[in-house]
Amino acid sequence: MTVTPALSPAVSPEREAQLLSTVPTGLLINGEWRDASDGGTFGVHDPATGKVLATLASATSDDAVAALDAADAVQASWARTAPRDRAEILRRAFDLVTERAEDFALLMTLEMGKPLAEARGEVTYGAEFLRWFSEEAVRDHGRYLTTPEGKNKILVQHKPVGPCLLITPWNFPLAMATRKVAPAVAAGCTMVLKPAKLTPLTAQLFAQTMLDAGLPAGVLNVVPSSSASGISGPLLADPRLRKISFTGSTPVGKRLMADAAQNVLRTSMELGGNAPFIVFDDADLDKAVEGAMAAKMRNMGEACTAANRFLVQESVAAEFTRRFAEAMGALTTGRGTEPGTQVGPLIDGDARDDVHALVSAAVDAGATAVTGGAPVKGAGYFYQPTVLGNVPNGAEILGQEIFGPVAPVTTFATEEDAIRLANASEYGLASYVYSRDFTRLLRVAEQIEFGMVGFNAGVISNAAAPFGGVKHSGLGREGGSEGIAEYTTTQYIGIADPYAN
Ligand code: NAD
């Protein structure tokens, strides 16, 4: 494995500085960027160098309440806007994000570390939620029907749920924001968005883009903060808030669900995963390795959908592991802005230490590092792309999210074993199955306890698909036609027999 030296950067320091100078550094409250009420700030770092990229205002609890004041003040008028008007704001936002794709991509690479090519992919994916929900905004169907007794009538309509708190993680700084903001706009909800403190810059630029697209003041408020609970605490206790949509880790999600119970809030929870990647002996191994690379290495493995456990049928395990390790060992690691970089740094030093602790424990338990297995020396938080062979069942690394470029391979004997091992997890988000036998794939999908299953596919996220998990991976769905329903509430109107009067 090579670490690309910083010889000929594709992106000049001047270009980086120019882009960073365009990112708003304040809090967005009622359509205006302003300082924190106590003047507090926090720094955002480049994980490839550890250097400070920007300093943002750090919202206080008072600022959070001011953001909810703004959201609440315009909720009723925003709910009454024509769906077509909301759709057109989203469509303009899609056009603007697409026009500014290079800025968004570079900003994500700078603050999060992913290679530029991947960041461009996230811009396309993230922008698609804006276009998708611009189309969904005008297709929200209610219904009118006669009661079974044949006299009275039933009218069912969907209304915006009300002001929402949206909390996003650091790993997909644009897509996690658009996946929440777009359906909320489509449904007619107002919002307070709290981006992750590690990667808030993209959300800041996105919020400005929504204003540029014509979103009225107060509909979207953004409160980056170094104190997440200082924002969520007062808002979840405030009766004006009607919903929380959270994407992040399972422990934080559980805490927020408990807090949200005080006011019986609608909740959408997109939490952690422990995706199995199952390879049967009748699979096309070339395709399986290609899919494994995509499912493991997207975002350096820092994805809730990342393949976390490779379950391979015994007779093909050695060959699959050999080919997979060869492909992983050939990847080029470096700063995301460098030409040719395929693997960027992990988000911070703690993340890298956690990944290495899991690898070391697996090796101590009997696994073999077929490739990689160690941090990369030098600046930044790089970790070698790693394949671990012969990982014993029950090893810690198979039981928790790795969130790094590490692939543990373990084996199974029969289809029943594969299903049992896959389901032996508290998580149930993404899963992947490789086989040439379509009925087997369907049989596995019927029995596997995961919200999403890829058949011979290593990447399954799509704005048109309902994304989400079961068990400790969460509640609710984002994207698809299900996505807008998370932001509406159902009202039933009972109508007396029109012939009786
Ligand atoms: P995290 O739970 O640490 O943080 C997520 C967000 O919650 C951040 O904005 C953070 O500031 C905020 N937060 C943290 N503690 C909080 C508290 N006590 N009160 C209120 N807010 C709080 O997660 P992360 O490290 O940013 O992201 C990685 C996790 O997110 C992984 O577990 C990953 O699987 C999960 N994730 C899930 C999905 C999905 O769609 N299911 C997508 C991406 C990431």
Side-chain angles (χ1 to χ4, degrees), residues 93-362:
F94 167 79
D95 290 339
L96 286 174
V97 170
T98 304
E99 234 168 69
R100 298 172 188 174
E102 281 303 301
D103 284 357
F104 277 106
L106 178 56
L107 200 53
M108 278 193 278
T109 293
L110 291 178
E111 66 174 341
M112 191 274 163
K114 65 184 80 190
L116 255 183
E118 272 199 63
R120 291 186 181 113
E122 184 177 340
V123 177
T124 304
Y125 172 56
E128 203 51 58
F129 287 102
L130 300 165
R131 178 157 65 175
W132 174 261
F133 284 108
S134 78
E135 293 156 352
E136 289 293 285
V138 291
R139 313 245 182 281
D140 182 35
H141 304 294
R143 63 187 194 275
Y144 178 68
L145 68 155
T146 305
T147 61
E149 297 73 27
K151 296 199 168 143
N152 297 344
K153 301 286 176 181
I154 292 172
L155 183 63
V156 178
Q157 67 163 339
H158 299 141
K159 297 163 97 173
V161 72
C164 304
L165 171 60
L166 313 178
I167 301 183
T168 53
W170 51 263
N171 58 347
F172 292 100
L174 180 64
M176 296 303 97
T178 58
R179 206 163 78 170
K180 296 186 190 306
V181 170
V185 168
C189 294
T190 61
M191 295 152 272
V192 177
L193 168 66
K194 196 211 78 65
K197 79 165 185 256
L198 292 170
T199 63
L201 303 180
T202 305
Q204 298 281 98
L205 190 63
F206 169 58
Q208 181 58 51
T209 304
M210 290 302 297
L211 296 180
D212 297 344
L215 195 70
V219 174
L220 173 64
N221 304 279
V222 186
V223 285
S225 178
S226 58
S227 167
S229 55
I231 303 300
S232 61
L235 296 190
L236 292 173
D238 192 314
R240 295 172 300 170
L241 190 79
R242 293 313 314 144
K243 178 184 170 78
I244 174 168
S245 177
F246 171 78
T247 298
S249 61
T250 297
V252 174
K254 287 181 184 175
R255 211 172 310 146
L256 293 172
M257 283 174 81
D259 291 348
Q262 297 173 75
N263 283 323
V264 195
L265 292 188
R266 284 282 295 279
T267 55
S268 300
M269 292 280 149
E270 297 285 354
L271 308 178
N274 182 1
F277 189 101
I278 304 172
V279 183
F280 284 102
D281 58 6
D282 63 352
D284 177 330
L285 280 196
D286 287 335
K287 292 219 172 92
V289 169
E290 196 184 310
M293 294 295 290
K296 178 74 252 179
M297 293 306 290
R298 179 171 176 230
N299 232 33
M300 290 80 74
E302 294 173 316
C304 52
T305 51
N308 209 61
R309 301 174 280 158
F310 291 81
L311 311 179
V312 187
Q313 202 152 15
E314 283 161 358
S315 59
V316 294
E319 182 59 14
F320 173 82
T321 307
R322 188 187 64 73
R323 292 196 212 175
F324 187 21
E326 198 176 290
M328 288 279 273
L331 293 173
T332 302
T333 299
R335 191 173 186 231
T337 51
E338 304 287 342
T341 290
Q342 292 164 297
V343 186
L346 296 183
I347 191 70
D348 60 19
D350 289 348
R352 185 170 68 170
D353 293 347
D354 290 349
V355 168
H356 191 51
L358 284 174
V359 170
S360 304

